[in-house]
mmCIF file of all heavy atoms in Angstrom:
data_model
loop_
_atom_site.group_PDB
_atom_site.id
_atom_site.type_symbol
_atom_site.label_atom_id
_atom_site.label_comp_id
_atom_site.label_asym_id
_atom_site.label_seq_id
_atom_site.Cartn_x
_atom_site.Cartn_y
_atom_site.Cartn_z
ATOM 1 N N VAL A 82 -34.710 -109.335 31.290
ATOM 2 C CA VAL A 82 -33.798 -109.842 32.317
ATOM 3 C C VAL A 82 -32.717 -110.734 31.711
ATOM 4 O O VAL A 82 -31.601 -110.808 32.238
ATOM 5 C CB VAL A 82 -34.588 -110.579 33.428
ATOM 6 C CG1 VAL A 82 -34.975 -112.003 33.006
ATOM 7 C CG2 VAL A 82 -33.790 -110.617 34.723
ATOM 8 N N SER A 83 -33.005 -111.388 30.593
ATOM 9 C CA SER A 83 -31.993 -112.212 29.926
ATOM 10 C C SER A 83 -30.892 -111.344 29.329
ATOM 11 O O SER A 83 -29.703 -111.635 29.481
ATOM 12 C CB SER A 83 -32.644 -113.062 28.826
ATOM 13 O OG SER A 83 -33.570 -113.971 29.367
ATOM 14 N N SER A 86 -28.892 -109.868 32.180
ATOM 15 C CA SER A 86 -28.023 -110.875 32.798
ATOM 16 C C SER A 86 -26.800 -111.151 31.951
ATOM 17 O O SER A 86 -25.680 -111.269 32.465
ATOM 18 C CB SER A 86 -28.809 -112.170 33.032
ATOM 19 O OG SER A 86 -29.852 -111.983 33.957
ATOM 20 N N ILE A 87 -26.989 -111.248 30.643
ATOM 21 C CA ILE A 87 -25.857 -111.481 29.740
ATOM 22 C C ILE A 87 -24.875 -110.311 29.828
ATOM 23 O O ILE A 87 -23.651 -110.506 29.863
ATOM 24 C CB ILE A 87 -26.348 -111.671 28.291
ATOM 25 C CG1 ILE A 87 -27.083 -113.019 28.163
ATOM 26 C CG2 ILE A 87 -25.173 -111.619 27.306
ATOM 27 C CD1 ILE A 87 -27.745 -113.225 26.820
ATOM 28 N N LEU A 90 -23.125 -110.510 33.338
ATOM 29 C CA LEU A 90 -22.296 -111.704 33.518
ATOM 30 C C LEU A 90 -21.141 -111.787 32.529
ATOM 31 O O LEU A 90 -20.051 -112.266 32.872
ATOM 32 C CB LEU A 90 -23.164 -112.968 33.384
ATOM 33 C CG LEU A 90 -24.189 -113.229 34.482
ATOM 34 C CD1 LEU A 90 -25.116 -114.363 34.072
ATOM 35 C CD2 LEU A 90 -23.500 -113.545 35.808
ATOM 36 N N VAL A 91 -21.375 -111.324 31.300
ATOM 37 C CA VAL A 91 -20.409 -111.553 30.228
ATOM 38 C C VAL A 91 -19.712 -110.279 29.752
ATOM 39 O O VAL A 91 -18.486 -110.251 29.592
ATOM 40 C CB VAL A 91 -21.099 -112.237 29.021
ATOM 41 C CG1 VAL A 91 -20.088 -112.492 27.903
ATOM 42 C CG2 VAL A 91 -21.758 -113.545 29.452
ATOM 43 N N PHE A 165 -23.848 -112.809 41.417
ATOM 44 C CA PHE A 165 -23.412 -113.589 40.264
ATOM 45 C C PHE A 165 -24.329 -114.791 40.065
ATOM 46 O O PHE A 165 -24.775 -115.076 38.944
ATOM 47 C CB PHE A 165 -21.972 -114.061 40.468
ATOM 48 C CG PHE A 165 -21.465 -114.987 39.405
ATOM 49 C CD1 PHE A 165 -21.020 -114.497 38.187
ATOM 50 C CD2 PHE A 165 -21.437 -116.364 39.610
ATOM 51 C CE1 PHE A 165 -20.548 -115.356 37.194
ATOM 52 C CE2 PHE A 165 -20.970 -117.226 38.638
ATOM 53 C CZ PHE A 165 -20.521 -116.724 37.427
ATOM 54 N N TYR A 166 -24.644 -115.489 41.136
ATOM 55 C CA TYR A 166 -25.481 -116.683 41.054
ATOM 56 C C TYR A 166 -26.945 -116.334 40.798
ATOM 57 O O TYR A 166 -27.653 -117.073 40.107
ATOM 58 C CB TYR A 166 -25.329 -117.512 42.334
ATOM 59 C CG TYR A 166 -23.918 -118.010 42.525
ATOM 60 C CD1 TYR A 166 -23.092 -117.476 43.503
ATOM 61 C CD2 TYR A 166 -23.391 -118.998 41.689
ATOM 62 C CE1 TYR A 166 -21.784 -117.914 43.658
ATOM 63 C CE2 TYR A 166 -22.084 -119.447 41.834
ATOM 64 C CZ TYR A 166 -21.284 -118.898 42.821
ATOM 65 O OH TYR A 166 -19.989 -119.330 42.956
ATOM 66 N N ILE A 167 -27.389 -115.197 41.317
ATOM 67 C CA ILE A 167 -28.761 -114.759 41.059
ATOM 68 C C ILE A 167 -28.953 -114.490 39.570
ATOM 69 O O ILE A 167 -29.962 -114.900 38.972
ATOM 70 C CB ILE A 167 -29.094 -113.493 41.872
ATOM 71 C CG1 ILE A 167 -29.088 -113.797 43.371
ATOM 72 C CG2 ILE A 167 -30.452 -112.932 41.449
ATOM 73 C CD1 ILE A 167 -30.122 -114.814 43.811
ATOM 74 N N PHE A 168 -27.977 -113.828 38.952
ATOM 75 C CA PHE A 168 -28.119 -113.516 37.528
ATOM 76 C C PHE A 168 -27.962 -114.745 36.642
ATOM 77 O O PHE A 168 -28.533 -114.794 35.545
ATOM 78 C CB PHE A 168 -27.137 -112.409 37.125
ATOM 79 C CG PHE A 168 -27.587 -111.044 37.544
ATOM 80 C CD1 PHE A 168 -26.945 -110.358 38.553
ATOM 81 C CD2 PHE A 168 -28.691 -110.461 36.948
ATOM 82 C CE1 PHE A 168 -27.379 -109.111 38.971
ATOM 83 C CE2 PHE A 168 -29.140 -109.208 37.344
ATOM 84 C CZ PHE A 168 -28.482 -108.538 38.361
ATOM 85 N N MET A 169 -27.243 -115.747 37.112
ATOM 86 C CA MET A 169 -27.196 -117.001 36.373
ATOM 87 C C MET A 169 -28.573 -117.651 36.347
ATOM 88 O O MET A 169 -29.015 -118.191 35.325
ATOM 89 C CB MET A 169 -26.173 -117.948 36.996
ATOM 90 C CG MET A 169 -24.730 -117.609 36.673
ATOM 91 S SD MET A 169 -23.573 -118.850 37.285
ATOM 92 C CE MET A 169 -24.051 -120.274 36.328
ATOM 93 N N VAL A 170 -29.262 -117.610 37.491
ATOM 94 C CA VAL A 170 -30.612 -118.175 37.565
ATOM 95 C C VAL A 170 -31.591 -117.333 36.746
ATOM 96 O O VAL A 170 -32.446 -117.873 36.028
ATOM 97 C CB VAL A 170 -31.075 -118.283 39.026
ATOM 98 C CG1 VAL A 170 -32.538 -118.735 39.091
ATOM 99 C CG2 VAL A 170 -30.189 -119.253 39.800
ATOM 100 N N LEU A 171 -31.478 -116.009 36.828
ATOM 101 C CA LEU A 171 -32.363 -115.141 36.056
ATOM 102 C C LEU A 171 -32.162 -115.328 34.552
ATOM 103 O O LEU A 171 -33.103 -115.166 33.769
ATOM 104 C CB LEU A 171 -32.141 -113.673 36.438
ATOM 105 C CG LEU A 171 -32.689 -113.245 37.801
ATOM 106 C CD1 LEU A 171 -32.284 -111.805 38.110
ATOM 107 C CD2 LEU A 171 -34.207 -113.395 37.852
ATOM 108 N N LEU A 172 -30.953 -115.687 34.146
ATOM 109 C CA LEU A 172 -30.685 -115.935 32.729
ATOM 110 C C LEU A 172 -31.509 -117.110 32.203
ATOM 111 O O LEU A 172 -31.826 -117.169 31.008
ATOM 112 C CB LEU A 172 -29.187 -116.200 32.523
ATOM 113 C CG LEU A 172 -28.708 -116.442 31.089
ATOM 114 C CD1 LEU A 172 -29.112 -115.288 30.168
ATOM 115 C CD2 LEU A 172 -27.191 -116.633 31.068
ATOM 116 N N SER A 173 -31.877 -118.018 33.093
ATOM 117 C CA SER A 173 -32.685 -119.165 32.668
ATOM 118 C C SER A 173 -34.075 -118.737 32.205
ATOM 119 O O SER A 173 -34.789 -119.515 31.561
ATOM 120 C CB SER A 173 -32.797 -120.195 33.798
ATOM 121 O OG SER A 173 -33.536 -119.680 34.885
ATOM 122 N N GLU A 174 -34.472 -117.488 32.511
ATOM 123 C CA GLU A 174 -35.762 -116.969 32.038
ATOM 124 C C GLU A 174 -35.784 -116.831 30.512
ATOM 125 O O GLU A 174 -36.843 -116.577 29.923
ATOM 126 C CB GLU A 174 -36.048 -115.612 32.677
ATOM 127 C CG GLU A 174 -36.456 -115.672 34.141
ATOM 128 C CD GLU A 174 -37.813 -116.313 34.343
ATOM 129 O OE1 GLU A 174 -38.784 -115.897 33.679
ATOM 130 O OE2 GLU A 174 -37.903 -117.241 35.165
ATOM 131 N N ALA A 175 -34.637 -117.016 29.869
ATOM 132 C CA ALA A 175 -34.563 -116.932 28.403
ATOM 133 C C ALA A 175 -35.456 -117.966 27.722
ATOM 134 O O ALA A 175 -35.800 -117.822 26.537
ATOM 135 C CB ALA A 175 -33.112 -117.114 27.946
ATOM 136 N N THR A 176 -35.839 -119.013 28.440
ATOM 137 C CA THR A 176 -36.713 -120.031 27.863
ATOM 138 C C THR A 176 -38.182 -119.611 27.853
ATOM 139 O O THR A 176 -38.993 -120.195 27.127
ATOM 140 C CB THR A 176 -36.596 -121.357 28.640
ATOM 141 O OG1 THR A 176 -36.981 -121.128 30.008
ATOM 142 C CG2 THR A 176 -35.173 -121.886 28.606
ATOM 143 N N LEU A 206 -34.231 -127.308 23.055
ATOM 144 C CA LEU A 206 -32.813 -126.943 23.032
ATOM 145 C C LEU A 206 -32.520 -125.799 23.995
ATOM 146 O O LEU A 206 -31.499 -125.812 24.704
ATOM 147 C CB LEU A 206 -32.410 -126.551 21.609
ATOM 148 C CG LEU A 206 -32.472 -127.669 20.561
ATOM 149 C CD1 LEU A 206 -32.158 -127.124 19.165
ATOM 150 C CD2 LEU A 206 -31.504 -128.801 20.912
ATOM 151 N N GLY A 207 -33.418 -124.804 24.021
ATOM 152 C CA GLY A 207 -33.229 -123.674 24.925
ATOM 153 C C GLY A 207 -33.268 -124.104 26.379
ATOM 154 O O GLY A 207 -32.455 -123.647 27.191
ATOM 155 N N TRP A 208 -34.191 -124.992 26.697
ATOM 156 C CA TRP A 208 -34.303 -125.485 28.075
ATOM 157 C C TRP A 208 -33.060 -126.288 28.452
ATOM 158 O O TRP A 208 -32.549 -126.179 29.569
ATOM 159 C CB TRP A 208 -35.546 -126.348 28.221
ATOM 160 C CG TRP A 208 -36.022 -126.493 29.637
ATOM 161 C CD1 TRP A 208 -35.522 -127.337 30.574
ATOM 162 C CD2 TRP A 208 -37.067 -125.755 30.274
ATOM 163 N NE1 TRP A 208 -36.193 -127.196 31.764
ATOM 164 C CE2 TRP A 208 -37.153 -126.230 31.610
ATOM 165 C CE3 TRP A 208 -37.949 -124.761 29.863
ATOM 166 C CZ2 TRP A 208 -38.081 -125.732 32.521
ATOM 167 C CZ3 TRP A 208 -38.876 -124.265 30.766
ATOM 168 C CH2 TRP A 208 -38.927 -124.740 32.073
ATOM 169 N N LEU A 209 -32.585 -127.095 27.508
ATOM 170 C CA LEU A 209 -31.389 -127.898 27.756
ATOM 171 C C LEU A 209 -30.195 -127.009 28.094
ATOM 172 O O LEU A 209 -29.437 -127.295 29.032
ATOM 173 C CB LEU A 209 -31.074 -128.751 26.524
ATOM 174 C CG LEU A 209 -29.810 -129.615 26.585
ATOM 175 C CD1 LEU A 209 -29.910 -130.658 27.692
ATOM 176 C CD2 LEU A 209 -29.573 -130.292 25.230
ATOM 177 N N VAL A 210 -30.044 -125.925 27.352
ATOM 178 C CA VAL A 210 -28.900 -125.029 27.555
ATOM 179 C C VAL A 210 -29.086 -124.145 28.794
ATOM 180 O O VAL A 210 -28.206 -124.078 29.658
ATOM 181 C CB VAL A 210 -28.673 -124.139 26.309
ATOM 182 C CG1 VAL A 210 -27.597 -123.091 26.583
ATOM 183 C CG2 VAL A 210 -28.277 -125.003 25.118
ATOM 184 N N ALA A 211 -30.260 -123.458 28.870
ATOM 185 C CA ALA A 211 -30.462 -122.423 29.886
ATOM 186 C C ALA A 211 -30.903 -122.946 31.244
ATOM 187 O O ALA A 211 -30.729 -122.254 32.255
ATOM 188 C CB ALA A 211 -31.472 -121.388 29.382
ATOM 189 N N ARG A 212 -31.459 -124.147 31.289
ATOM 190 C CA ARG A 212 -31.975 -124.632 32.572
ATOM 191 C C ARG A 212 -31.376 -125.966 33.023
ATOM 192 O O ARG A 212 -31.611 -126.380 34.159
ATOM 193 C CB ARG A 212 -33.502 -124.735 32.529
ATOM 194 C CG ARG A 212 -34.181 -123.372 32.442
ATOM 195 C CD ARG A 212 -35.679 -123.497 32.597
ATOM 196 N NE ARG A 212 -36.347 -122.208 32.434
ATOM 197 C CZ ARG A 212 -36.894 -121.527 33.432
ATOM 198 N NH1 ARG A 212 -36.835 -122.009 34.664
ATOM 199 N NH2 ARG A 212 -37.506 -120.381 33.209
ATOM 200 N N ILE A 213 -30.633 -126.607 32.138
ATOM 201 C CA ILE A 213 -29.969 -127.856 32.536
ATOM 202 C C ILE A 213 -28.457 -127.647 32.567
ATOM 203 O O ILE A 213 -27.825 -127.736 33.619
ATOM 204 C CB ILE A 213 -30.337 -129.017 31.596
ATOM 205 C CG1 ILE A 213 -31.864 -129.196 31.518
ATOM 206 C CG2 ILE A 213 -29.662 -130.306 32.076
ATOM 207 C CD1 ILE A 213 -32.536 -129.509 32.840
ATOM 208 N N LEU A 214 -27.883 -127.334 31.399
ATOM 209 C CA LEU A 214 -26.424 -127.155 31.326
ATOM 210 C C LEU A 214 -25.971 -125.946 32.141
ATOM 211 O O LEU A 214 -24.924 -125.992 32.801
ATOM 212 C CB LEU A 214 -25.991 -127.002 29.863
ATOM 213 C CG LEU A 214 -26.262 -128.209 28.964
ATOM 214 C CD1 LEU A 214 -25.781 -127.923 27.548
ATOM 215 C CD2 LEU A 214 -25.583 -129.461 29.516
ATOM 216 N N LEU A 215 -26.752 -124.863 32.105
ATOM 217 C CA LEU A 215 -26.381 -123.666 32.868
ATOM 218 C C LEU A 215 -26.379 -123.956 34.371
ATOM 219 O O LEU A 215 -25.512 -123.467 35.098
ATOM 220 C CB LEU A 215 -27.341 -122.518 32.554
ATOM 221 C CG LEU A 215 -27.044 -121.183 33.258
ATOM 222 C CD1 LEU A 215 -25.675 -120.647 32.854
ATOM 223 C CD2 LEU A 215 -28.124 -120.146 32.945
ATOM 224 N N PHE A 216 -27.322 -124.771 34.820
ATOM 225 C CA PHE A 216 -27.361 -125.102 36.243
ATOM 226 C C PHE A 216 -26.225 -126.043 36.632
ATOM 227 O O PHE A 216 -25.735 -126.001 37.760
ATOM 228 C CB PHE A 216 -28.720 -125.700 36.615
ATOM 229 C CG PHE A 216 -29.714 -124.673 37.082
ATOM 230 C CD1 PHE A 216 -30.356 -123.838 36.176
ATOM 231 C CD2 PHE A 216 -29.996 -124.523 38.430
ATOM 232 C CE1 PHE A 216 -31.264 -122.884 36.592
ATOM 233 C CE2 PHE A 216 -30.906 -123.569 38.866
ATOM 234 C CZ PHE A 216 -31.536 -122.741 37.950
ATOM 235 N N ILE A 217 -25.807 -126.879 35.690
ATOM 236 C CA ILE A 217 -24.631 -127.717 35.959
ATOM 237 C C ILE A 217 -23.414 -126.821 36.164
ATOM 238 O O ILE A 217 -22.631 -127.011 37.104
ATOM 239 C CB ILE A 217 -24.393 -128.713 34.804
ATOM 240 C CG1 ILE A 217 -25.521 -129.758 34.772
ATOM 241 C CG2 ILE A 217 -23.030 -129.400 34.957
ATOM 242 C CD1 ILE A 217 -25.445 -130.696 33.598
ATOM 243 N N TYR A 218 -23.269 -125.817 35.287
ATOM 244 C CA TYR A 218 -22.178 -124.851 35.443
ATOM 245 C C TYR A 218 -22.312 -124.091 36.757
ATOM 246 O O TYR A 218 -21.310 -123.805 37.425
ATOM 247 C CB TYR A 218 -22.177 -123.874 34.266
ATOM 248 C CG TYR A 218 -21.117 -122.799 34.383
ATOM 249 C CD1 TYR A 218 -19.776 -123.092 34.173
ATOM 250 C CD2 TYR A 218 -21.475 -121.491 34.735
ATOM 251 C CE1 TYR A 218 -18.804 -122.108 34.309
ATOM 252 C CE2 TYR A 218 -20.515 -120.506 34.862
ATOM 253 C CZ TYR A 218 -19.177 -120.822 34.650
ATOM 254 O OH TYR A 218 -18.221 -119.846 34.791
ATOM 255 N N PHE A 219 -23.545 -123.760 37.132
ATOM 256 C CA PHE A 219 -23.832 -123.076 38.399
ATOM 257 C C PHE A 219 -23.227 -123.856 39.569
ATOM 258 O O PHE A 219 -22.518 -123.296 40.414
ATOM 259 C CB PHE A 219 -25.356 -122.957 38.545
ATOM 260 C CG PHE A 219 -25.842 -122.371 39.845
ATOM 261 C CD1 PHE A 219 -26.184 -121.034 39.941
ATOM 262 C CD2 PHE A 219 -25.979 -123.164 40.983
ATOM 263 C CE1 PHE A 219 -26.654 -120.486 41.131
ATOM 264 C CE2 PHE A 219 -26.446 -122.634 42.182
ATOM 265 C CZ PHE A 219 -26.785 -121.290 42.252
ATOM 266 N N PHE A 220 -23.494 -125.153 39.609
ATOM 267 C CA PHE A 220 -23.007 -125.975 40.725
ATOM 268 C C PHE A 220 -21.494 -126.183 40.667
ATOM 269 O O PHE A 220 -20.822 -126.174 41.701
ATOM 270 C CB PHE A 220 -23.717 -127.322 40.732
ATOM 271 C CG PHE A 220 -25.188 -127.227 41.043
ATOM 272 C CD1 PHE A 220 -26.135 -127.715 40.153
ATOM 273 C CD2 PHE A 220 -25.626 -126.629 42.210
ATOM 274 C CE1 PHE A 220 -27.480 -127.615 40.432
ATOM 275 C CE2 PHE A 220 -26.977 -126.514 42.503
ATOM 276 C CZ PHE A 220 -27.912 -127.018 41.604
ATOM 277 N N VAL A 221 -20.961 -126.362 39.457
ATOM 278 C CA VAL A 221 -19.514 -126.524 39.309
ATOM 279 C C VAL A 221 -18.790 -125.261 39.752
ATOM 280 O O VAL A 221 -17.777 -125.314 40.464
ATOM 281 C CB VAL A 221 -19.150 -126.871 37.848
ATOM 282 C CG1 VAL A 221 -17.630 -126.812 37.643
ATOM 283 C CG2 VAL A 221 -19.679 -128.257 37.478
ATOM 284 N N HIS A 222 -19.310 -124.109 39.325
ATOM 285 C CA HIS A 222 -18.703 -122.830 39.703
ATOM 286 C C HIS A 222 -18.776 -122.620 41.205
ATOM 287 O O HIS A 222 -17.801 -122.181 41.828
ATOM 288 C CB HIS A 222 -19.404 -121.676 38.980
ATOM 289 C CG HIS A 222 -18.743 -120.354 39.156
ATOM 290 N ND1 HIS A 222 -18.910 -119.583 40.296
ATOM 291 C CD2 HIS A 222 -17.889 -119.648 38.345
ATOM 292 C CE1 HIS A 222 -18.210 -118.472 40.180
ATOM 293 N NE2 HIS A 222 -17.575 -118.483 39.010
ATOM 294 N N MET A 223 -19.922 -122.927 41.802
ATOM 295 C CA MET A 223 -20.085 -122.737 43.238
ATOM 296 C C MET A 223 -19.124 -123.655 44.013
ATOM 297 O O MET A 223 -18.553 -123.240 45.020
ATOM 298 C CB MET A 223 -21.528 -123.030 43.654
ATOM 299 C CG MET A 223 -21.866 -122.550 45.057
ATOM 300 S SD MET A 223 -23.649 -122.441 45.366
ATOM 301 C CE MET A 223 -24.101 -124.172 45.227
ATOM 302 N N GLY A 245 -30.770 -123.575 44.846
ATOM 303 C CA GLY A 245 -30.257 -124.060 43.566
ATOM 304 C C GLY A 245 -30.701 -125.479 43.253
ATOM 305 O O GLY A 245 -31.264 -125.736 42.171
ATOM 306 N N SER A 249 -33.279 -126.600 40.246
ATOM 307 C CA SER A 249 -32.777 -127.512 39.214
ATOM 308 C C SER A 249 -33.628 -128.772 39.135
ATOM 309 O O SER A 249 -33.850 -129.316 38.043
ATOM 310 C CB SER A 249 -31.313 -127.878 39.476
ATOM 311 O OG SER A 249 -31.171 -128.573 40.696
ATOM 312 N N ASN A 252 -36.657 -127.821 37.240
ATOM 313 C CA ASN A 252 -36.303 -127.697 35.827
ATOM 314 C C ASN A 252 -36.202 -129.056 35.151
ATOM 315 O O ASN A 252 -36.598 -129.219 33.994
ATOM 316 C CB ASN A 252 -34.974 -126.946 35.680
ATOM 317 C CG ASN A 252 -35.115 -125.465 35.963
ATOM 318 O OD1 ASN A 252 -36.201 -124.892 35.829
ATOM 319 N ND2 ASN A 252 -34.023 -124.829 36.361
#
Side-chain angles (χ1 to χ4, degrees):
V82 79
S83 297
S86 296
I87 290 173
L90 292 170
V91 181
F165 174 80
Y166 297 108
I167 294 298
F168 282 109
M169 283 186 64
V170 174
L171 287 175
L172 182 55
S173 67
E174 286 292 309
T176 60
L206 295 175
W208 201 280
L209 177 63
V210 173
R212 292 188 183 252
I213 305 300
L214 297 180
L215 182 61
F216 268 76
I217 292 175
Y218 177 74
F219 175 98
F220 293 122
V221 171
H222 188 280
M223 193 163 64
S249 63
N252 287 335

